[in-house]
Amino acid sequence: MSDAEAIMELGGKDFEVARWMTSFAWPYEDGSAEAFLKTVVGKNPLETEAVFAITLGGIFIGIAAVEAPGDLADLSDHPTIGYWIGRAFQGHGYASEAVEAIIDWAFSAYGTDAIAARAFEDNFRSRGLLRKLGFKPYSITERFSKALDRRVSNVVVRAEGSRMSKPVIRTSRLVLRAPNPEDLDRCAVLLGDYEVAKMLSRVPYPYDLELGRQHLARSVKRWEYIVDADELGFHIDHEGDLIGGVGFKKLQETPEIGYWLGRPYWGKGFMSEALDAAIGWMFENTGHERLACEAMTENQASIKAKVYVRSGNGGAGCVSFRREKYIEYGGPDGGDGGKGGNVIVECVDGLNTLIDYRYKQHFKAETGIHGMGRNRTGAHGKDVVLKVPVGTQILEEDNETLIADLTELGQQVHLLKGGNGGFGNAHFKSSVNQAPRRANPGLEGEEKWIWLRLKLIADAGLVGLPNAGKSTFLSKVSAAKPKIADYPFTTIHPNLGIVQIDGNSFAMADIPGLIEGAHEGTGLGDRFLGHVERTRVLLHLVDGSGLEDPGESYKVVRGELEAYGGGLAEKPEIVALSKCDALTEDLIAERSASLEASCGQKPLILSSASGLNVDRALRMIVRAIDKDKEDAANQGELKRDWLEALVSDIVRLTTEGADILIVSSGSIALGRGTLGLPNGPLKLEESQAAAAAGQIALAQAYAGALGRHGRKAGQILLTLGDTEERRRYLNARATIGTLLKMGAVPIINENDSVATSEIRYGDNDRLAARVATMASADCLVLLSDIDGLYTAPPAQNPDAVFLPEVSRITAEIEEMAGSAGSELSRGGMKTKIDAGRIATAAGTSMVITSGKELHPLSRLTESGRGTWFPALATPASARKAWIGGHLETRGDVTLDEGAVRAMKSGKSLLPAGVISVSGTFSRGDAVVLLRPDGRTIGRGLIAYDVDEARLIAGRNSREIEAIVGYPGRAEMIHRDDLVLEDAFLNGTR
């Protein structure tokens, strides 16, 4: 009787619960709950009605009941079940668990062979639950509903069953049997292995014993009572030990099979044997003629696979001589070996995963047949062809370097070439060697490990948190049929649909929902984001009907897109507040305002269920796709008006006495347009070719723009080794200095035409910082797509605060930086912060400012708008500190007293003042400077190697060219490369 208050609170006051019950008027009258309890408490449940309270942790949440046989006229011999549960507890599986338990009790208590249930015709949730538990439609009746005050249609469903003998299937090595509770500990051991657990969507990791116990209990009940259950499973025994499981679900429709196997038993054929037996049993006992299999996309290696490939060796040549009766002259007749088979990757129809490469990872082409006598050439080895779906990328073993991108049906890539066959001895015969006894072996084939990665080819991508309505939207606008349910992570693999609107059609991809921490592996992780990398626009759906704030939900997903990178954060984005059919107008306005404050654009009010603004969303997507195509077509063209404005700024500054260096980007993008390369990722050699073509166009554009102002340009292409290797560093520094002295403007770019992933900077920001350090620049200006550093991305967070100055780069400053780059330049705000760390430590101040407007340098000098990073020292002092304290000396140079006095007065060291040299130094190395008595006075960077220094020591600078053979520097050590000790300058040494 103590439950009366809870019944009133959960059922009597909530119409959405009460409307599904026929026995009580709504709203409940005072005392109605007590009256109901008096009719059931203390009665014999087998004679009238058995009523059970459903509790969760001791809290009343609902009621489950079984009416005794005879209540329904058309099902007089079968008990009938009913239930209700409080709205706050719906959608968590509690009702399903309770009904399953009450069915178990009813079969046992009544000894019946069938159980009935009633559900309102429009109560799809309840009907779906009963269908899942094995109930089938039996009839339709009408009953009067006191809550609705009218007659309503009821669907009567029935489940047949009884205690049944549990099947045992035996194969040559295995036994398939029904699960039992004693299997729990063994399951915990096998499923506690992450490599096994990650392949099962229902298994948590680490393994939870309580959840495992509940799952086993349900599996046991399904075998004990309900023949028509929607799910049945077997456990697999080998030599008395549990080693895995195989099961079926959706038995009322097209069954789906699933399985798992402990890792110690992989690769021994156990799973194939068990599946063959289980499938045979299913077809024989259920009457089904078709079977499906749903595998977790990532876990089954269907979007990524590592594969070993090897082309065939060439066949060996043959040493043979013709020997026949009555033939006077024989001679060599050994044939050549056949060519080894090639490794080919082909894009074929009918595939949408890389699942096949989970079970076979090694592919070897055939060896060519050896040559034979009578001039018979060996047959070529058979090629091995790897068949992959459209959208597959082939990458090197480093999983970064792109080899090929297969985007068209029938496209082939000859990955490895087979070895050539060896020559037979007939090939070597000549007038001077008429009987050669040599033949060549065949050349060996090539081998490598490669990665295959599948990325869906779609024009638009759907992103959002789990249960944001992405799958519902896709099913509404296309013929795709993704799984839809009211719980998170319904979608566990990507779906693709073709959408048509106003005569336009495009492909749309729906990926599993993202949650906070997805880039670190939380939830399903971010492994499916690669499928929307190819898209031109993102439709970001934010659930308006949930409990979470839409603005915060938006920020979570945007944070994961930025953390993933790949240019996703820069893609055009349409933001929509979904599920608005369940909201009032006031609530829509409130949640729309919150979302707009976070995303910086007015969100679209959307409902897939009612069709509200669905067509409008599709038209917005079409416009975004068309604009992106137009931008892509113009991507390989120079922005000449912007370039001319920048050059005019540079000329003005040089006229005022400033030395300007330009570190430029965009050579690959320009070369792509020049060579007509397609959009999307490029192979390494294609990127290098595009850079080679683009660098010419870029240099010509700068030279032309500067030439119109009477200025010269000089192009310098650098690689990482030019700043890491001392001699090349000095050569590059000297070249930059000479160009500046001659009044030319150095145009510097990374030499992408020869750079590989191992020797490239990876972005132009760090390259610019290295160049600024090399040239001892006073200031480094980085032109960005925004006007400086903010506390958060300003396009996404209107509360982001602009930082005019960063005096020191801390961990907090680094966290404010994003990580994405653009098509024209690699890197993002994070790399600019890294560049600031390099530059400021070397004595170069840095500023980040906007480069989107014309005349960016003039705007900077006029307004000062930008984030300034002041240098920690001057370039000269930083360089002096580096020479004096960080370089290892390689030799000694002894000076005469005249040279000592000259250096004390600030002069450079000339060869004439050198008495002797010792050590093993090269040009640019640090050496110690000594007085005639051996006392140290300082150190410096010498301009000659040890052999040249010995030759010119004590000689006049005018004689250097005649002595060393080239016009070297007049100074052996320039004063800018010289650091004198304080004790020497103070006169104490």
Side-chain angles (χ1 to χ4, degrees):
M1 296 299 291
S2 60
D3 294 328
E5 183 178 351
I7 292 174
M8 288 294 294
E9 185 68 28
L10 297 179
K13 295 182 180 181
D14 189 341
F15 179 72
E16 291 302 317
V17 176
R19 69 185 298 256
W20 304 118
M21 295 184 281
T22 59
S23 303
F24 299 95
W26 193 87
Y28 286 7
E29 297 178 357
D30 292 340
S32 58
E34 288 83 351
F36 164 73
L37 289 172
K38 288 179 181 179
T39 64
V40 296
V41 174
K43 304 294 183 179
N44 183 352
L46 298 181
E47 295 179 358
T48 55
E49 182 179 19
V51 179
F52 298 86
I54 305 172
T55 62
L56 177 66
I59 300 173
F60 179 92
I61 65 172
I63 285 178
V66 182
E67 296 177 1
D71 181 70
L72 283 173
D74 52 353
L75 288 174
S76 57
D77 295 332
H78 308 303
T80 305
I81 66 168
Y83 70 95
W84 66 266
I85 194 167
R87 184 148 54 136
F89 303 98
Q90 295 177 8
H92 300 283
Y94 301 141
S96 178
E97 192 172 338
V99 172
E100 196 169 7
I102 205 72
I103 292 171
D104 187 359
W105 178 87
F107 270 120
S108 178
Y110 290 101
T112 183
D113 60 354
I115 292 177
R118 290 189 301 267
F120 281 15
E121 192 173 13
D122 59 345
N123 190 349
F124 298 106
R125 173 176 287 185
S126 183
R127 289 175 59 186
L129 184 152
L130 294 170
R131 179 189 57 78
K132 184 177 180 181
L133 293 175
F135 286 81
K136 294 181 179 179
Y138 182 79
S139 65
I140 295 180
T141 64
E142 283 193 354
R143 300 189 75 188
F144 184 79
S145 170
K146 293 182 179 180
L148 300 177
D149 195 27
R150 59 181 172 85
R151 297 186 68 81
V152 294
S153 295
N154 277 246
V155 177
V156 179
V157 293
R158 183 172 64 177
E160 298 178 354
S162 61
R163 286 188 178 273
M164 58 175 290
S165 58
K166 300 176 183 177
V168 176
I169 308 172
R170 300 183 184 276
T171 69
S172 60
R173 297 183 295 172
L174 305 174
V175 175
L176 277 68
R177 57 170 176 81
N180 62 66
E182 290 74 29
D183 293 335
L184 178 63
D185 291 339
R186 180 64 174 166
C187 286
V189 172
L190 297 177
L191 295 174
D193 184 342
Y194 177 70
E195 292 302 315
V196 178
K198 75 175 186 178
M199 299 183 185
L200 301 170
S201 60
R202 297 185 179 182
V203 176
Y205 184 84
Y207 189 76
D208 189 300
L209 281 175
E210 184 56 35
L211 290 178
R213 185 178 291 107
Q214 295 174 13
H215 178 73
L216 268 177
R218 288 194 294 271
S219 298
V220 171
K221 289 177 184 176
R222 292 185 186 113
W223 279 116
E224 288 187 346
Y225 293 110
I226 305 177
V227 175
D228 288 332
D230 200 40
E231 298 185 20
L232 290 174
F234 293 93
H235 276 179
I236 306 169
D237 285 347
H238 172 63
E239 297 180 351
D241 292 328
L242 173 65
I243 66 171
V246 59
F248 302 94
K249 65 179 181 178
K250 296 186 179 180
L251 292 176
Q252 310 306 317
E253 304 170 5
T254 299
E256 291 183 5
I257 189 171
Y259 63 90
W260 64 273
L261 189 69
R263 186 148 53 139
Y265 307 97
W266 290 3
K268 300 179 181 179
F270 290 142
M271 202 67 254
S272 297
E273 190 173 327
L275 287 173
D276 186 56
I279 292 171
W281 178 90
M282 191 276 299
F283 284 139
E284 182 178 346
N285 289 273
T286 66
H288 287 291
E289 299 179 353
R290 291 186 300 168
L291 179 67
C293 179
E294 181 184 80
M296 289 184 68
T297 309
E298 172 74 3
N299 293 340
Q300 295 298 330
S302 59
I303 65 172
K304 201 172 186 180
K306 190 176 183 181
V307 177
Y308 171 84
V309 289
R310 178 182 174 87
S311 59
N313 296 334
C318 174
V319 175
S320 172
F321 293 90
R322 183 180 181 185
R323 292 185 179 88
E324 292 185 49
K325 192 175 183 180
Y326 307 119
I327 300 298
E328 181 177 1
Y329 298 103
D333 66 352
D336 299 338
K339 181 179 177 296
N342 302 319
V343 176
I344 301 170
V345 183
E346 182 181 9
C347 200
V348 300
D349 195 12
L351 292 180
N352 55 17
T353 73
L354 298 173
I355 185 66
D356 295 339
Y357 298 100
R358 168 175 169 78
Y359 304 106
K360 182 179 180 182
Q361 293 93 19
H362 293 75
F363 296 86
K364 300 178 182 179
E366 291 184 355
T367 298
I369 304 300
H370 301 320
M372 292 168 281
R374 297 166 61 185
N375 290 315
R376 288 176 291 176
T377 299
H380 294 332
K382 186 177 180 180
D383 297 337
V384 61
V385 180
L386 281 68
K387 297 182 178 181
V388 298
V390 176
T392 300
Q393 292 181 329
I394 309 171
L395 300 101
E396 295 284 3
E397 189 176 3
D398 61 9
N399 204 11
E400 294 181 358
T401 306
L402 183 69
I403 299 174
D405 192 6
L406 304 177
T407 58
E408 297 179 3
L409 200 62
Q411 186 177 352
Q412 284 190 344
V413 174
H414 286 252
L415 198 59
L416 298 179
K417 183 179 179 182
N420 289 328
F423 292 129
N425 67 336
H427 175 82
F428 298 102
K429 67 181 179 181
S430 66
S431 60
V432 296
N433 186 10
Q434 298 182 8
R437 297 181 178 275
R438 57 168 290 199
N440 287 349
L443 296 180
E444 289 190 357
E446 304 170 317
E447 62 179 347
K448 66 165 57 180
W449 282 92
I450 61 171
W451 281 95
L452 301 176
R453 182 170 64 194
L454 176 61
K455 291 184 178 181
L456 294 179
I457 298 179
D459 299 295
L462 286 166
V463 296
L465 291 174
N467 265 52
K470 303 183 297 298
S471 297
T472 303
F473 183 86
L474 184 65
S475 66
K476 182 78 173 180
V477 302
S478 73
K481 300 299 179 187
K483 185 176 181 180
I484 300 171
D486 60 350
Y487 54 84
F489 296 115
T490 310
T491 302
I492 61 172
H493 56 79
N495 296 291
L496 192 66
I498 303 300
V499 182
Q500 292 187 337
I501 182 75
D502 299 335
N504 300 294
S505 65
F506 59 89
M508 177 175 283
D510 163 34
I511 65 168
L514 299 169
I515 62 174
E516 189 168 8
H519 67 284
E520 297 174 345
T522 307
L524 293 178
D526 62 2
R527 53 182 172 251
F528 299 111
L529 281 176
H531 289 295
V532 292
E533 278 188 41
R534 299 181 189 269
T535 60
R536 298 181 182 274
V537 59
L538 299 178
L539 177 59
H540 187 160
L541 297 185
V542 181
D543 185 2
S545 65
L547 299 177
E548 297 82 5
D549 176 54
E552 293 301 318
S553 299
Y554 173 84
K555 291 176 184 178
V556 168
V557 175
R558 287 298 301 183
E560 296 306 320
L561 295 179
E562 290 183 1
Y564 177 83
L568 290 184
E570 277 68 50
K571 290 186 180 294
E573 180 187 49
I574 299 169
V575 181
L577 189 69
S578 66
K579 303 185 181 180
C580 289
D581 58 299
L583 305 177
T584 64
E585 291 187 4
D586 291 341
L587 201 53
I588 289 175
E590 176 187 335
R591 300 199 168 186
S592 177
S594 172
L595 181 54
E596 183 176 356
S598 294
C599 69
Q601 60 175 280
K602 189 171 182 62
L604 186 66
I605 306 304
L606 184 71
S607 169
S608 302
S610 67
L612 176 65
N613 284 332
V614 168
D615 287 350
R616 183 181 174 191
L618 298 182
R619 292 187 178 100
M620 292 173 68
I621 292 172
V622 170
R623 288 196 297 271
I625 292 172
D626 291 342
K627 185 179 184 304
D628 188 73
K629 289 179 179 179
E630 182 181 348
D631 292 344
N634 298 328
Q635 188 181 59
E637 297 181 3
L638 272 171
K639 298 178 180 178
R640 296 192 179 274
D641 55 343
W642 183 89
L643 185 66
E644 292 287 350
L646 175 66
V647 167
S648 68
D649 286 351
I650 291 171
V651 170
R652 179 179 60 80
L653 292 173
T654 57
T655 303
E656 295 173 359
D659 289 331
I660 304 292
L661 297 82
I662 301 174
V663 178
S664 181
S665 61
S667 60
I668 293 180
L670 283 174
R672 184 197 290 265
T674 302
L675 300 178
L677 293 171
N679 294 322
L682 297 176
K683 292 185 278 187
L684 176 62
E685 57 270 25
E686 290 177 334
S687 295
Q688 292 170 333
Q695 283 161 359
I696 295 175
L698 196 61
Q700 288 176 342
Y702 274 109
L706 287 166
R708 285 187 281 277
H709 292 273
R711 296 292 196 276
K712 303 293 185 183
Q715 185 183 27
I716 301 176
L717 301 177
L718 298 178
T719 61
L720 183 62
D722 294 321
T723 59
E724 299 295 330
E725 185 180 329
R726 184 72 190 143
R727 180 180 293 272
R728 291 161 64 183
Y729 172 90
L730 291 171
N731 287 336
R733 175 183 167 87
T735 302
I736 292 172
T738 303
L739 283 171
L740 291 173
K741 287 180 181 178
M742 294 180 174
V745 178
I747 311 297
I748 301 167
N749 199 352
E750 183 175 358
N751 194 1
D752 292 307
S753 59
V754 298
T756 65
S757 59
E758 291 81 13
I759 63 171
R760 72 190 313 168
Y761 290 97
D763 64 82
N764 295 291
D765 300 322
R766 282 189 281 254
L767 171 61
R770 294 289 188 184
V771 170
T773 302
M774 180 187 293
S776 299
D778 295 303
C779 184
L780 168 63
V781 180
L782 295 181
L783 300 180
S784 179
D785 55 354
I786 57 175
D787 55 358
L789 179 64
Y790 287 76
T791 55
Q796 303 162 27
N797 188 348
D799 298 325
V801 178
F802 174 75
L803 301 178
E805 181 175 321
V806 175
S807 58
R808 186 171 294 275
I809 298 173
T810 63
E812 183 181 6
I813 295 296
E814 290 179 333
E815 289 177 3
M816 296 176 187
S819 60
S822 70
E823 287 292 324
L824 297 178
S825 64
R826 298 178 296 271
M829 189 58 72
K830 182 179 184 301
T831 62
K832 290 175 173 57
I833 299 300
D834 293 340
R837 189 186 300 280
I838 296 169
T840 55
T844 299
S845 297
M846 189 185 84
V847 59
I848 302 173
T849 190
S850 175
K852 298 177 72 173
E853 302 89 356
L854 298 179
H855 298 284
L857 299 183
S858 294
R859 289 177 177 270
L860 177 64
T861 55
E862 292 168 3
S863 66
R865 178 71 175 183
T867 300
W868 292 83
F869 296 75
L872 304 178
T874 65
S877 62
R879 179 173 171 78
K880 295 282 188 178
W882 172 66
I883 295 172
H886 299 284
L887 289 180
E888 180 183 356
T889 57
R890 300 288 185 177
D892 299 329
V893 177
T894 304
L895 316 180
D896 60 26
E897 287 297 339
V900 172
R901 289 192 298 272
M903 288 202 302
K904 194 170 185 177
S905 64
K907 302 292 182 64
S908 299
L909 175 63
L910 302 178
V914 177
I915 298 174
S916 64
V917 297
S918 62
T920 55
F921 53 83
S922 301
R923 176 175 176 261
D925 283 343
V927 295
V928 177
L929 304 179
L930 304 174
R931 299 185 76 151
D933 59 4
R935 288 181 294 168
T936 301
I937 65 171
R939 57 171 60 187
L941 304 181
I942 194 163
Y944 297 92
D945 63 30
V946 63
D947 295 327
E948 294 171 338
R950 287 196 179 104
L951 290 175
I952 63 175
R955 307 296 289 271
N956 191 288
S957 297
R958 291 190 296 270
E959 302 176 60
I960 292 177
E961 183 175 359
I963 295 172
V964 300
Y966 65 89
R969 292 175 59 176
E971 308 88 359
M972 186 175 284
I973 300 178
H974 193 275
R975 62 186 178 186
D976 291 343
D977 298 330
L978 190 62
V979 180
L980 300 178
E981 294 188 357
D982 292 339
F984 169 67
L985 294 174
N986 295 334
T988 58
R989 178 176 296 175

